[in-house]
Amino acid sequence: MNRVYKEEKSNYLRTFFKENHVGVVHSKFDHSLNIKLGKQLVHVSDTLEPLSAFGIKANDEKIHSLLKAVEIGDFVSCQNQVLTFYNSLNKIALVIELETLAETDLKLVPFDAHPQLIEETVFFKELMDIPVQMQTGLPMSAKTTKYLENLRHYPTYALTANEQSVIINHFLGRGIGLTPSGDDFLIGYTSLLILFNQQHEWLRRLQQLVRSGKTTDISLAYLNCLLEGGVNENIKELLDLFYSEDQQILKKKIERMRLFGHTSGTDTLLGIVTGTEAMNHTEKNSRGI
């Protein structure tokens, strides 16, 4: 199946873009950059990148030219749904009319039906074949291993509010990079809880700890989206296939996720695998299997 590359924006930013903001270029990458408008990060990328939960995608040629023209700290304004980038000489480098971008819904919606047992799905079988724990950037320790095992059985075996907070705090900000591996893991794991409507207590604990600002600006932006059910396009596309029978497409989506970032993709997959195992235990327990 060929991908359709289009200019688009995340629905998470709908209300934000209705107001006027000023800010700066926050960080730069090979195919994208982050801008900070007030307290909000916005990820601006070419169409080859997965749409960020807090992002927009624009014409490849224009984005590549923009990346050459601006540096970290250069001025950006968002006025009347028009995003304007300025270079270090205060010359306009790019204008993006936000109303021309298609809006994409990246919010996870809990399943309203479960057509088959989790362990019988193609999704479950494919995930269980991935050696993600060997490939993750998450620093492994006896405590990390213990907490992973706890999470594989939550919420079947309930964790107290304090135990949840201790585990979340352990993973939050753990690892190196602009999005530490522990944060990517939490995003993958929490996404599964949301899909199976098991997230409420967990999200309360997560929200309290996210407010502590323990991790990086970029991770905080992702986690704040997650608290409202928003995730990156590659996560949403993969989880939308949870009950799919199409093994070939599933393999492609898993591989796309695995290759994302340095270890972000495998760290997120480890969270998804752990969350899927947890939901499988919960389902079997509820059915007396």
Side-chain angles (χ1 to χ4, degrees), residues 94-108:
L94 179 65
V95 174
I96 299 176
E97 295 185 8
L98 296 169
E99 289 183 315
T100 67
L101 306 181
E103 186 175 272
T104 298
D105 188 351
L106 295 178
K107 190 169 184 177
L108 297 171

Side-chain angles (χ1 to χ4, degrees), residues 19-22 77-84:
E19 300 175 355
N20 294 334
H21 309 275
V22 295
S77 74
C78 180
Q79 305 288 323
N80 301 317
Q81 297 267 10
V82 176
L83 194 59
T84 306

Side-chain angles (χ1 to χ4, degrees), residues 151 154 159 163-165 167-168 171 185-186 189-191 193 198-208 226-227:
L151 292 178
Y154 171 82
L159 298 168
E163 287 171 331
Q164 291 176 51
S165 294
I167 291 175
I168 292 170
F171 287 105
F185 169 81
L186 286 172
Y189 183 80
T190 305
S191 295
L193 296 185
Q198 300 287 333
Q199 78 277 18
H200 305 292
E201 288 298 323
W202 179 265
L203 282 183
R204 275 194 277 274
R205 308 284 84 78
L206 181 61
Q207 184 175 42
Q208 290 171 354
L226 181 68
L227 291 171

Side-chain angles (χ1 to χ4, degrees), residues 31-43:
H31 295 274
S32 65
L33 53 77
N34 285 308
I35 57 177
K36 193 165 189 178
L37 300 173
K39 295 182 178 180
Q40 177 65 52
L41 280 189
V42 177
H43 186 249

Side-chain angles (χ1 to χ4, degrees), residues 92-280:
I92 292 177
L94 179 65
V95 174
I96 299 176
E97 295 185 8
L98 296 169
E99 289 183 315
T100 67
L101 306 181
E103 186 175 272
T104 298
D105 188 351
L106 295 178
K107 190 169 184 177
L108 297 171
V109 179
F111 295 130
D112 57 9
H114 306 282
Q116 64 185 128
L117 293 174
I118 292 172
E119 66 181 5
E120 294 177 358
T121 64
V122 177
F123 186 93
F124 181 84
K125 294 171 184 175
E126 287 297 321
L127 284 188
M128 294 307 111
D129 284 340
I130 307 172
V132 283
Q133 196 158 327
M134 295 172 59
Q135 301 168 356
T136 182
L138 189 64
M140 285 297 166
S141 64
K143 187 176 286 187
T144 298
T145 302
K146 172 189 172 184
Y147 290 156
L148 286 173
E149 189 60 26
N150 289 155
L151 292 178
R152 286 188 180 98
H153 295 89
Y154 171 82
T156 304
Y157 300 106
L159 298 168
T160 66
N162 183 64
E163 287 171 331
Q164 291 176 51
S165 294
V166 168
I167 291 175
I168 292 170
N169 191 56
H170 175 79
F171 287 105
L172 192 65
R174 182 164 293 270
I176 61 174
L178 293 174
T179 56
S181 296
D183 300 336
D184 291 323
F185 169 81
L186 286 172
I187 289 169
Y189 183 80
T190 305
S191 295
L192 264 295
L193 296 185
I194 292 172
L195 281 186
F196 285 86
N197 208 26
Q198 300 287 333
Q199 78 277 18
H200 305 292
E201 288 298 323
W202 179 265
L203 282 183
R204 275 194 277 274
R205 308 284 84 78
L206 181 61
Q207 184 175 42
Q208 290 171 354
L209 288 164
V210 165
R211 286 174 178 168
S212 71
K214 179 182 176 182
T215 189
T216 65
D217 285 351
I218 298 175
S219 272
L220 285 173
Y222 282 122
L223 289 165
N224 279 317
C225 288
L226 181 68
L227 291 171
E228 297 188 27
V231 293
N232 280 7
E233 178 186 37
N234 51 351
I235 300 175
K236 179 75 161 56
E237 287 184 346
L238 175 59
L239 296 182
D240 281 348
L241 296 172
F242 195 94
Y243 287 109
S244 172
E245 296 291 331
D246 195 324
Q247 186 179 33
Q248 185 177 3
I249 292 180
L250 264 170
K251 283 181 178 291
K252 287 181 179 179
K253 296 299 183 186
I254 290 171
E255 183 65 6
R256 186 182 186 219
M257 173 72 73
R258 191 184 67 79
L259 295 175
F260 181 67
H262 183 56
T263 64
S264 284
T266 51
D267 299 332
T268 305
L269 276 173
L270 178 60
I272 290 172
V273 168
T274 306
T276 302
E277 290 177 310
M279 295 304 98
N280 183 48

